[in-house]
Amino acid sequence: MRIAVPNKGRLHDPSVDLLERAGLHVVDGADRKLYADTVDPEVTILYARAADIPEYVSDGAADVGITGLDQVREADTGDLVDLLDLEFGACRLVLAAPEDGPVESVRDLDGGTVATEFPNVTRAYLDERGVDADIAEVSGATELTPHVDIADAIVDITSTGTTLRMNRLAVIDDVLESSVRLFAREDVTDDPKVEQVRTALSSVKTAEGKRYLMMNVPEENVEAVKDVIPGMGGPTVMDIAGEDMVAVHAVVDERSVFETITDLKAEGATDVLVTEIERLVE
Ligand SMILES: Nc1ncnc2c1ncn2[C@@H]1O[C@H](COP(=O)(O)OP(=O)(O)OP(=O)(O)O)[C@@H](O)[C@H]1O
Ligand SMILES: O=P(O)(O)OC[C@H]1O[C@H](OP(=O)(O)OP(=O)(O)O)[C@H](O)[C@@H]1O
Ligand SMILES: [Mg+2]
């Protein structure tokens, strides 16, 4: 099975890092190589441009891919299934026009021109609203185009909003919310290997928000301790040989750790260990 992964740009490092954390270690992945083997002899990585990945998966050059939802929508191949939100590369595609300019709503673009790197998404957006505008396809620096009479507005990516502000552009409408996804061609979604990869990546995402707590607790306080531990099922309780203490282990939400520890101390818990979890298969 082949996984298409961004070869450069902002999505490369977090994608490779996620595969590594999922246990799909890359072997023999020299810089600038287009293919890399993984520790699983059945899984190969194919490095490609983020924008080309949906086509590669659709055409069968790869079976699953990792790239932004914006790219999947733009490719519009119609045969790709979103398997998992990997939650990085979060951004919005927005319609934006010069601050204090005449364009205040999408309707003002009737008869005008919109510049974008996303012509298919933009066309669908305009058609849905019955707005008849030309599309000028550009391959970067889209924010410049309204200031040099190439376009009246743009559809482009924003995350912090800095680039729009620097170019004196205001958001007029949201076009698409995007984040990086694991997706597959429809005909391979039931393949056990695809499911194995999805589970491995999902287990990393699930573990990210969780911590493993270990502590010693006086035997008579076990019930009270169980009550203060929020979380996934009951904790594991183990006898400690020759002592009146028991060991308690539990998986808890990262956000509750700070408060929970205070409550645990109040119930006599000692030697409380908090550790990160690499993977968690629910
Ligand atoms: N500013 C941003 N914040 C968050 N995510 C972004 C941002 N810009 C782009 N992305 C996401 O990353 C994807 C790839 O963008 P990136 O800029 O890494 O590649 P590229 O522009 O195709 O490559 P390059 O500019 O290096 O040739 C986008 O399709 C989008 O999903
Ligand atoms: O809202 P912001 O945080 O300012 O991010 C938005 C900018 O980020 C992306 O550009 P990128 O940095 O990828 O440069 P590129 O044009 O070379 O792709 C995107 O095309 C915007 O220009
Ligand atoms: Mg870019």
Side-chain angles (χ1 to χ4, degrees), residues 4-41:
V5 174
N7 64 336
K8 57 179 192 145
R10 73 185 70 233
L11 303 186
H12 173 77
D13 285 351
S15 302
V16 172
D17 180 59
L18 183 62
L19 290 169
E20 289 280 334
R21 286 191 290 149
L24 263 175
H25 304 288
V26 178
V27 292
D28 189 24
D31 255 7
R32 306 211 165 256
K33 259 188 77 167
L34 296 179
Y35 283 100
D37 292 327
T38 68
V39 284
D40 184 332

Side-chain angles (χ1 to χ4, degrees), residues 11 48 51 55 59 93 101-102 109 116 125-126 140 197 200 239 249-251 255:
L11 303 186
E55 287 287 353
D59 293 348
L93 271 183
L109 290 166
T116 186
Y125 166 83
L126 293 170
V197 168
D239 284 331
H249 291 196
V251 175
R255 286 164 301 186

Side-chain angles (χ1 to χ4, degrees), residues 137-150:
E137 187 174 349
V138 294
S139 58
T142 316
E143 291 92 348
L144 178 74
T145 57
H147 299 296
V148 292
D149 287 341
I150 286 176

Side-chain angles (χ1 to χ4, degrees), residues 216 219 240-246:
N216 295 333
E219 220 162 358
I240 304 174
E243 290 196 38
D244 301 336
M245 303 283 278
V246 291

Side-chain angles (χ1 to χ4, degrees), residues 10 117 140-141 143 156-164:
R10 73 185 70 233
E117 288 182 57
E143 291 92 348
D156 200 15
I157 291 170
T158 182
S159 55
T160 63
T162 311
T163 313
L164 289 178

Side-chain angles (χ1 to χ4, degrees), residues 3-279:
I3 308 177
V5 174
N7 64 336
K8 57 179 192 145
R10 73 185 70 233
L11 303 186
H12 173 77
D13 285 351
S15 302
V16 172
D17 180 59
L18 183 62
L19 290 169
E20 289 280 334
R21 286 191 290 149
L24 263 175
H25 304 288
V26 178
V27 292
D28 189 24
D31 255 7
R32 306 211 165 256
K33 259 188 77 167
L34 296 179
Y35 283 100
D37 292 327
T38 68
V39 284
D40 184 332
E42 286 178 50
V43 180
T44 308
I45 290 176
L46 163 67
Y47 293 112
R49 287 287 305 273
D52 293 336
I53 288 177
E55 287 287 353
Y56 282 22
V57 175
S58 175
D59 293 348
D63 303 294
V64 301
I66 293 178
T67 195
L69 179 66
D70 53 341
Q71 302 295 356
V72 178
R73 286 285 163 78
E74 179 57 25
D76 195 26
T77 57
D79 56 353
L80 302 178
V81 180
D82 199 333
L83 297 181
L84 184 66
D85 188 347
L86 301 178
E87 295 169 352
F88 59 92
C91 56
R92 294 186 297 151
L93 271 183
V94 295
L95 177 70
E99 295 166 359
D100 312 320
V103 179
E104 286 175 354
S105 95
V106 59
R107 314 245 155 263
D108 299 330
L109 290 166
D110 222 33
T113 303
V114 182
T116 186
E117 288 182 57
F118 297 85
N120 293 327
V121 172
T122 302
R123 175 55 65 209
Y125 166 83
L126 293 170
D127 284 354
E128 235 169 70
R129 283 150 190 83
V131 173
D132 183 17
D134 283 337
I135 292 175
E137 187 174 349
V138 294
S139 58
T142 316
E143 291 92 348
L144 178 74
T145 57
H147 299 296
V148 292
D149 287 341
I150 286 176
D152 304 294
I154 64 170
V155 167
D156 200 15
I157 291 170
T158 182
S159 55
T160 63
T162 311
T163 313
L164 289 178
R165 252 191 322 275
M166 267 172 26
N167 290 283
R168 290 172 284 114
L169 298 168
V171 173
I172 286 171
D173 198 7
D174 281 312
V175 176
L176 176 73
E177 291 253 2
S178 179
S179 60
V180 171
R181 308 296 165 96
L182 174 74
F183 61 93
R185 211 174 37 259
E186 232 159 31
D187 61 296
V188 303
T189 48
D190 294 334
D191 185 315
K193 206 72 205 172
V194 170
E195 179 51 23
Q196 197 185 339
V197 168
R198 199 198 68 81
T199 303
L201 297 185
S202 163
S203 70
V204 174
K205 300 310 293 179
T206 308
E208 271 176 3
K210 302 277 195 271
R211 292 293 180 268
Y212 196 63
L213 283 186
M214 293 175 267
M215 72 208 82
N216 295 333
V217 172
E219 220 162 358
E220 67 271 20
N221 289 1
V222 167
E223 288 311 314
V225 162
K226 279 187 185 172
D227 285 345
V228 299
I229 294 179
M232 310 172 46
T236 308
V237 179
M238 289 157 282
D239 284 331
I240 304 174
E243 290 196 38
D244 301 336
M245 303 283 278
V246 291
V248 175
H249 291 196
V251 175
V252 301
D253 209 272
E254 185 211 353
R255 286 164 301 186
S256 67
V257 168
F258 185 74
E259 227 181 297
T260 303
I261 287 183
T262 312
D263 297 342
L264 291 171
K265 296 292 287 178
E267 298 301 341
T270 57
D271 304 313
V272 182
L273 270 182
V274 184
T275 66
E276 294 195 351
I277 305 170
E278 220 167 83
R279 272 170 258 161

